[in-house]
C-alpha cells in the first residue's frame, strides 16, 4: 500500500501537450477509463504521438518537481517510451525503473498490458515525455485513460487485515421511482472510498501517517502496488484523508503495545 | 438504434452535467473566445424553466437558476482577489454561463478507444450571471443565473441608437437596433452575448411600420426597457420572441409542432419500446376553467373612446355545448397601444380568443430527465391508473359487446395517446427530472 503526493497534473500551472499542441487535461484527469486522451490522425504504427507534461506552464519561470511514481492507466500502447528528454532516440533520458516494474528501462516494444505502474528513484524534473508508437491492436489511434505523476510519500510497512480493509466504489446516482412502481437509475459518477484501520502500529508508522494527515494536501492512494512480476490491479485514485486522526490511541494497556487508528480516504473531485 | 429516446428509456444510464463560464477581459471588455469549465466547483445545479404566458400573447418566460458552487479555494471571489477565476477579467456580473446536460452512450472499440456520444449534444441552458453574489461562512456561493433576455431587460430602450424618423418595422428594429446595435464602430452591444455572430439571430421579416419606433423620445419608448418593447411588438406581430437553449435569439411566429416530439408513458400505458415509461407522477389533470375566456377586449389607442377598443367573443346560444351558456361570459381585456390600428387589433383579439376559449384540459406531471422537449412542442401522453381486476372476470362481461372496460372505473386521469402542446417545461438538474405542463389539443 502506498500513499503518493498530489498528482502533478492536477496542480495549477502544469499542462499537457500532445504533439506540440496544448490539450485539455480534462480527460486525462477523469479516472473513468471511458474518458481518454486520443490521438488524431495517427492510426498508424509507423507514427509516434508525443505527450509532453510540463510542470510549469510559464516558460520564463523554472519549476522543478520531484517524481518517483508514474501510473499509466487504460491505454492501448504496444510500443512506448517514457523519457526525461524530448529526443525520443536519446536512451539516456529513458526512466530507469525499480525491480517491481516489468522492465528496467521505460521502453516497451511488445507490451500487451493496458495499465502500468512505474516506480523509480525520485527525480527532479521540469518536463516528462511519453512517446507512443505502436498499438496493441495494430494501426489504431493512440489512447490513454489517466496519467498520474507523483512521488511516493509512504509505503505502509504492514498490510491491514481483511476485516480492517474496506474498499468500495460508490455510485452517485439518482434513483427514479416511476408511476408504475418501476425504477430507472441515472448514474452521475462513481467514486472510490477506502476505509483502513490498524492495531498495534509503531510510533514511527504513526508519525509518518500524521505527517501525511497534517499536510492537508490532496493524495493518491495505491492499495496494492505491483508484485515483483509487475502484475497490478490497476487501482489508484486521487483522494483526501477525511475526518479525524486517531492513531494516538493505544492498542492495549501498555505504551509499547503500539497504536490503533483508522483512515478514511475519499476520492476527490476533479 | 441508439438515439436520445433509447437513452431516456434505458433502465440505467450514465448522465452528464457540465457548467461553463465566459468572462470579459478587464481591459478590452471582450469575452474570452472559449468556455471555461467550472463543473468541478458545482455543488447544486438548481432548475431552469421555460413557460408560455399565454394570457400575454407573445411572452415566453425563461426562468434562470441558482448555481451553488464551492468557494473553498476562493475561485468565486470578486475579480480583484487574486484567487478568483475572474482575476484579470472584468466584473463577475454579466459573465456568460452555459449548462450542458444529457446522456452519454459509451462503447469500447476493438482498438481500445472509447467512443463517447452525448445526447442531446447541445446546451440545455445559456444565460448570464445577474444579481447579488454574496459570500457566506459555509465555503460556498450561490451564483444567480438569468437567461439572456436579462441583457435586454437591463437596457433602456431610449438609449438605443438608429431610430428612424418615419418609424420602422419590428424586424428592422430587431436587426438594426438590437443585432447591429453598437457603441462605437464595430463594438456591438448585444451581439457578444450571442456568440458574437449574426448566425445567432433568426429574424423573420415583417411589414407593419410602428411610429413609436421613430424616436427615442417617443412616449412608448422612453420609460421602457428593450425587452418590454420586444414583448409589445411581439403581441402586435403574433410572434413569440425566444432565446433558444443554445442561445439563438428568435424573432418570428412560433406555432405548435405538427408532430409529437416525445411520448410520455405512465402506469397502465401500453408497452412502448421506443419511449418507455417516464412519467413519475401526475400532479393535476383537468379543465382549467380559470383560464377560460369567451370574450376578448383589446384597447389599442391611448385615448379612451369607443373607437379605441376592439372586441371579439363567442356567441351565446342556449345549448348544452355552448361555452358562454355553460360557463358564463368571461371577459379578458388588455391594452397595447403599439397596435397600429383596428385591423391588427382585431387579428390579435381573434388569436387570443381562439387560445383562451378552448376550455380544454391541462396536465401537469413529472417525468425522468427528458432534456429535448421545449415550450410549444407537441407531445403525446398515455396514463391509465385504472386498477387491474385481481380476481376472475369470467362471466362478468358480455365479451361480444363489452371488450373494453369502462374508463369511468377508477381514477379520472385516463389518457391514451392524448396530444398536448407544452405550456411549461422545468428541468430540475439536481433531481434529474422534468416537470411539464401541457394543454390538450
Amino acid at each position: 500500500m502506498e500513499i503518493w503526493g498530489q498528482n502533478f497534473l492536477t496542480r495549477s500551472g502544469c499542462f499537457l501537450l500532445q504533439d506540440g499542441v496544448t490539450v485539455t487535461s480534462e480527460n486525462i484527469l477523469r479516472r473513468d477509463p471511458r474518458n481518454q486522451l486520443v490521438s488524431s490522425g495517427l492510426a498508424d504504427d509507423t507514427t509516434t504521438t508525443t505527450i509532453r507534461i510540463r510542470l510549469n506552464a510559464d516558460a520564463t519561470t523554472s519549476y522543478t518537481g520531484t517524481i518517483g511514481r508514474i501510473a499509466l492507466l487504460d491505454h492501448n500502447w504496444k510500443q512506448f517510451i517514457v523519457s526525461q528528454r524530448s529526443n525520443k532516440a536519446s536512451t539516456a533520458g529513458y526512466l530507469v525503473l525499480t525491480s517491481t516494474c516489468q522492465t528496467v528501462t521505460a521502453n516497451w516494444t511488445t507490451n500487451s498490458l493496458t495499465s502500468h505502474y512505474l516506480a523509480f528513484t525520485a527525480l527532479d524534473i521540469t518536463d516528462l515525455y511519453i512517446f507512443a508508437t505502436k498499438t496493441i491492436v495494430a494501426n489504431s489511434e493512440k489512447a490513454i485513460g489517466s496519467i498520474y505523476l507523483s512521488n511516493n510519500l509512504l509505503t505502509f510497512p504492514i498490510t491491514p487485515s481483511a476485516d480492517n480493509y474496506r474498499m468500495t466504489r460508490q455510485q452517485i446516482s439518482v434513483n427514479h421511482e416511476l408511476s408504475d412502481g418501476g425504477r430507472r437509475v441515472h448514474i452521475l459518477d462513481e467514486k472510490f472510498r477506502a476505509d483502513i484501520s490498524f492495531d498495534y502500529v509503531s510510533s514511527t508508522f504513526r508519525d509518518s501517517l500524521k505527517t501525511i494527515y497534517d499536510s492537508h494536501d490532496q493524495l493518491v492512494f495505491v492499495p496494492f502496488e505491483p508484485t515483483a512480476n509487475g502484475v497490478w490491479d490497476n487501482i489508484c485514485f486521487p483522494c483526501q484523508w477525511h475526518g479525524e486522526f486517531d492513531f494516538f490511541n493505544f492498542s492495549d494497556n501498555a505504551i509499547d503495545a503500539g497504536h490503533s487508528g483508522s483512515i478514511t480516504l475519499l476520492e476527490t473531485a476533479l | 438504434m441508439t438515439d436520445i429516446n433509447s437513452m431516456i428509456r434505458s433502465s440505467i444510464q450514465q448522465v452528464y452535467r457540465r457548467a461553463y463560464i465566459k468572462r470579459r477581459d478587464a481591459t478590452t471588455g471582450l469575452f474570452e473566445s472559449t468556455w471555461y469549465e467550472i463543473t468541478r466547483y458545482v455543488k447544486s445545479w438548481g432548475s431552469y424553466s421555460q413557460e408560455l404566458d399565454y394570457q400575454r400573447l407573445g411572452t415566453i418566460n425563461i426562468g434562470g437558476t441558482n448555481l451553488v458552487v464551492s468557494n473553498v479555494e476562493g475561485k468565486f471571489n470578486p475579480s480583484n482577489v487574486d484567487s478568483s477565476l475572474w482575476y484579470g477579467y472584468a466584473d463577475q456580473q454579466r459573465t456568460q454561463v452555459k449548462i450542458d446536460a444529457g446522456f452519454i452512450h459509451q462503447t469500447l472499440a476493438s482498438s481500445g478507444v472509447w467512443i463517447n456520444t452525448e445526447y442531446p449534444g447541445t446546451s440545455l441552458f445559456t444565460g448570464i450571471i445577474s444579481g447579488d453574489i454574496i459570500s457566506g461562512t459555509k465555503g460556498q456561493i450561490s451564483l444567480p443565473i438569468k437567461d439572456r433576455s436579462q441583457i435586454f431587460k437591463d437596457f433602456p430602450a431610449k438609449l438605443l441608437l438608429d431610430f428612424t424618423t418615419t418609424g420602422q418595422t419590428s424586424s428592422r428594429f430587431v436587426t438594426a437596433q438590437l443585432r447591429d446595435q453598437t457603441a462605437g464602430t464595430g463594438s456591438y452591444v448585444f451581439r457578444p452575448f450571442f456568440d458574437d455572430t449574426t448566425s445567432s439571430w433568426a429574424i423573420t421579416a415583417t411589414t407593419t411600420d410602428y411610429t413609436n419606433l421613430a424616436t427615442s423620445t417617443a412616449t412608448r419608448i422612453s420609460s421602457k426597457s428593450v425587452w418590454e418593447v420586444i414583448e409589445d411588438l411581439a403581441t402586435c406581430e403574433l410572434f413569440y420572441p425566444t432565446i433558444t437553449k443554445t442561445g439563438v435569439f428568435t424573432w418570428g411566429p412560433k406555432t405548435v409542432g405538427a408532430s409529437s416530439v416525445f411520448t410520455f408513458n405512465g402506469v397502465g400505458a401500453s408497452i412502448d419500446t421506443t419511449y418507455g415509461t417516464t412519467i413519475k407522477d401526475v400532479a393535476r389533470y383537468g379543465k382549467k376553467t380559470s383560464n377560460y375566456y369567451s370574450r376578448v377586449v383589446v384597447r389599442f389607442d391611448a385615448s379612451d373612446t369607443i373607437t379605441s377598443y376592439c372586441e371579439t367573443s363567442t356567441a351565446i346560444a342556449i345549448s348544452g355545448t355552448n361555452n358562454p351558456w355553460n360557463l358564463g361570459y368571461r371577459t379578458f381585456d388588455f391594452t397595447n397601444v403599439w397596435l397600429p390600428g383596428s385591423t391588427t387589433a382585431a387579428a390579435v383579439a381573434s388569436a387570443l380568443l381562439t387560445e383562451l376559449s378552448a376550455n380544454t384540459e391541462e396536465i401537469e406531471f413529472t417525468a425522468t430527465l427528458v432534456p429535448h422537449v421545449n415550450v410549444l412542442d407537441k407531445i403525446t401522453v398515455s396514463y391509465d391508473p385504472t386498477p387491474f381486476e385481481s380476481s376472475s372476470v369470467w362471466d362478468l362481461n358480455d365479451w361480444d359487446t363489452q371488450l373494453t372496460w369502462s374508463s369511468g372505473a377508477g381514477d379520472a386521469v385516463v389518457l391514451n395517446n392524448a396530444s398536448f402542446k407544452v405550456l411549461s417545461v422545468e428541468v430540475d438538474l439536481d433531481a434529474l427530472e422534468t416537470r411539464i405542463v401541457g394543454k390538450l389539443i
Side-chain angles (χ1 to χ4, degrees):
Chain A
M1 280 184 181
E2 289 184 342
I3 288 183
W4 301 354
Q6 182 177 358
N7 183 4
F8 276 98
L9 279 162
T10 64
R11 293 180 185 273
S12 62
C14 180
F15 77 124
L16 199 67
L17 297 96
Q18 186 168 32
D19 301 322
V21 178
T22 303
V23 294
T24 173
S25 56
E26 180 80 24
N27 280 3
I28 219 77
L29 295 176
R30 286 189 188 278
R31 195 188 33 71
D32 184 344
R34 290 165 289 199
N35 292 284
Q36 298 171 309
L37 179 68
V38 185
S39 65
S40 178
L42 297 179
D44 179 347
D45 279 1
T46 63
T47 60
T48 297
T49 187
T50 304
I51 297 172
R52 179 187 180 189
I53 300 166
R54 296 200 64 188
L55 297 192
N56 193 348
D58 183 357
T60 62
T61 309
S62 177
Y63 177 81
T64 301
T66 303
I67 63 166
R69 294 288 188 275
I70 294 174
L72 305 172
L73 296 170
D74 306 301
H75 64 76
N76 65 348
W77 305 334
K78 179 181 180 180
Q79 180 180 12
F80 67 101
I81 295 165
V82 183
S83 176
Q84 299 177 66
R85 296 189 177 178
S86 59
N87 181 2
K88 178 187 163 191
S90 176
T91 56
Y94 297 179
L95 296 184
V96 178
L97 309 176
T98 62
S99 59
T100 57
C101 301
Q102 291 169 295
T103 64
V104 176
T105 306
N107 178 11
W108 290 260
T109 54
T110 57
N111 169 61
S112 60
L113 299 176
T114 56
S115 294
H116 285 78
Y117 163 101
L118 312 184
F120 46 94
T121 304
L123 298 168
D124 292 334
I125 65 162
T126 55
D127 296 83
L128 187 82
Y129 298 85
I130 302 171
F131 305 99
T133 306
K134 292 183 180 177
T135 50
I136 296 170
V137 174
N139 300 317
S140 302
E141 292 288 352
K142 287 83 171 170
I144 182 165
S146 302
I147 299 176
Y148 290 82
L149 198 68
S150 186
N151 194 29
N152 186 29
L153 300 179
L154 178 65
T155 300
F156 288 14
I158 52 174
T159 302
S161 67
D163 284 344
N164 287 338
Y165 174 72
R166 184 146 302 278
M167 182 84 165
T168 51
R169 191 168 169 176
Q170 298 175 318
Q171 189 179 82
I172 296 93
S173 61
V174 174
N175 190 339
H176 298 283
E177 181 177 358
L178 300 173
S179 53
D180 65 354
R183 296 278 176 173
R184 176 164 294 129
V185 176
H186 288 157
I187 302 170
L188 288 158
D189 210 339
E190 289 178 341
K191 297 289 184 188
F192 275 114
R193 172 190 177 121
D195 292 285
I196 306 163
S197 55
F198 288 106
D199 292 315
Y200 306 107
V201 300
S202 67
S203 298
T204 306
F205 184 34
R206 179 201 63 182
D207 293 343
S208 299
L209 289 172
K210 186 171 181 300
T211 301
I212 291 171
Y213 179 85
D214 287 342
S215 71
H216 295 169
D217 205 354
Q218 193 183 114
L219 307 166
V220 175
F221 180 54
V222 184
F224 295 101
E225 61 272 27
T227 51
N229 62 2
V231 176
W232 186 32
D233 60 6
N234 305 342
I235 295 177
C236 65
F237 62 92
C239 60
Q240 64 202 22
W241 187 319
H242 178 73
E244 62 196 12
F245 181 86
D246 61 352
F247 281 90
F248 299 112
N249 298 319
F250 291 102
S251 302
D252 216 330
N253 293 327
I255 289 177
D256 58 358
H259 301 274
S260 297
S262 58
I263 304 167
T264 300
L265 300 172
L266 302 182
E267 187 171 346
T268 59
L270 274 179
Chain B
M1 185 179 74
T2 303
D3 59 11
I4 189 166
N5 295 330
S6 66
M7 296 288 100
I8 293 168
R9 189 183 69 237
S10 176
S11 61
I12 183 164
Q13 189 59 51
Q14 182 90 27
V15 297
Y16 67 94
R17 296 178 299 196
R18 291 194 293 265
Y20 303 85
I21 56 172
K22 206 178 251 192
R23 300 155 292 189
R24 286 161 301 175
D25 186 272
T27 305
T28 66
L30 299 176
F31 282 108
E32 53 192 328
S33 57
T34 55
W35 291 96
Y36 182 87
E37 186 170 354
I38 58 168
T39 307
R40 73 194 68 175
Y41 304 107
V42 178
K43 297 183 75 173
S44 82
W45 298 79
S47 56
Y48 77 88
S49 62
Q50 278 189 327
E51 186 178 16
L52 176 68
D53 186 350
Y54 61 92
Q55 289 195 10
R56 287 195 62 202
L57 204 63
T59 302
I60 289 181
N61 298 319
I62 310 170
T65 187
N66 278 305
L67 212 56
V68 179
V69 292
S70 167
N71 196 37
V72 172
E73 301 170 46
K75 298 291 185 185
F76 294 87
N77 285 337
S79 58
N80 61 345
V81 181
D82 60 3
S83 64
S84 173
L85 293 174
W86 280 263
Y87 190 67
Y89 292 89
D91 196 276
Q92 291 168 300
Q93 296 294 322
R94 306 226 300 170
T95 294
Q96 293 189 60
V97 178
K98 179 176 78 158
I99 296 173
D100 294 352
F103 302 90
I104 310 175
H105 183 250
Q106 299 169 310
T107 52
L108 179 61
S110 59
S111 61
V113 178
W114 280 91
I115 300 167
N116 295 303
T117 311
E118 296 183 348
Y119 297 92
T122 55
S123 297
L124 240 60
F125 178 81
T126 51
I128 58 169
I129 295 176
S130 179
D132 296 335
I133 304 171
I134 299 170
S135 299
T137 55
K138 295 181 179 176
Q140 64 185 38
I141 276 181
S142 179
L143 296 177
I145 316 292
K146 296 203 168 77
D147 85 288
R148 297 188 192 198
S149 66
Q150 191 65 36
I151 299 156
F152 302 113
K153 289 171 184 169
D154 289 341
F155 200 97
K158 71 177 296 185
L159 296 183
L160 290 171
L161 305 177
D162 203 19
F163 282 96
T164 56
T165 54
T166 56
Q168 57 183 313
T169 64
S170 65
S171 58
R172 196 269 177 193
F173 170 75
V174 173
T175 304
Q177 292 201 271
L178 303 186
R179 190 191 73 180
D180 299 339
Q181 183 72 200
T182 60
T185 306
S187 299
Y188 295 102
V189 174
F190 302 114
R191 203 187 293 180
F193 293 95
F194 296 88
D195 293 331
D196 212 11
T197 170
T198 56
S199 303
S200 294
W201 300 73
I203 303 166
T204 300
T206 60
T207 55
T208 305
D209 279 318
Y210 297 91
T211 54
N212 279 320
L213 296 175
T215 170
S216 62
T217 56
T219 310
R220 305 301 165 194
I221 291 285
S222 59
S223 62
K224 297 207 172 193
S225 71
V226 170
W227 188 250
E228 287 172 318
V229 172
I230 289 172
E231 288 190 330
D232 285 340
L233 286 169
T235 307
C236 303
E237 300 282 1
L238 299 176
F239 279 5
Y240 283 105
T242 54
I243 299 166
T244 66
K245 291 174 180 175
T246 53
V248 175
F249 183 93
T250 305
W251 179 249
K254 187 106 161 81
T255 53
V256 179
S259 55
S260 175
V261 299
F262 195 81
T263 296
F264 290 91
N265 297 302
V267 61
S270 302
I271 292 174
D272 187 337
T273 56
T274 302
Y275 299 101
T277 301
T278 48
I279 294 179
K280 297 176 71 174
D281 178 52
V282 175
R284 64 180 173 89
Y285 174 74
K287 289 188 175 179
K288 193 89 181 281
T289 307
S290 58
N291 285 342
Y292 163 77
Y293 295 92
S294 54
R295 180 170 173 261
V296 174
V297 178
V298 177
R299 179 178 171 184
F300 58 92
D301 196 296
S303 60
D304 192 10
T305 67
I306 191 67
T307 56
S308 304
Y309 294 85
C310 179
E311 73 169 84
T312 184
S313 61
T314 306
I316 192 168
I318 312 304
S319 162
T321 59
N322 181 269
N323 278 340
W325 169 249
N326 287 333
L327 307 173
Y329 261 116
R330 288 167 51 84
T331 299
F332 179 78
D333 54 57
F334 80 104
T335 300
N336 185 338
V337 296
W338 285 76
L339 290 163
S342 59
T343 304
T344 310
V348 169
S350 175
L352 263 179
L353 185 67
T354 302
E355 182 67 40
L356 301 177
S357 64
N359 191 33
T360 53
E361 286 83 352
E362 282 187 19
I363 190 170
E364 178 179 345
F365 62 91
T366 54
T368 56
L369 179 64
V370 180
H372 63 303
V373 171
N374 295 309
V375 163
L376 284 178
D377 277 347
K378 182 180 178 181
I379 59 170
T380 306
V381 178
S382 288
Y383 185 86
D384 183 1
T386 308
F388 285 99
E389 185 61 60
S390 56
S391 57
S392 171
V393 292
W394 180 256
D395 216 20
L396 291 178
N397 269 30
D398 178 351
W399 298 102
D400 281 344
T401 59
Q402 295 174 287
L403 281 173
T404 308
W405 294 100
S406 166
S407 61
D411 202 304
V413 188
V414 178
L415 301 166
N416 183 18
N417 286 324
S419 294
F420 290 84
K421 72 171 177 182
V422 176
L423 300 178
S424 167
V425 181
E426 181 178 343
V427 175
D428 185 330
L429 285 170
D430 292 312
L432 293 174
E433 68 179 19
T434 306
R435 185 186 67 84
I436 286 181
V437 177
K439 188 171 185 178
L440 193 66
I441 53 176

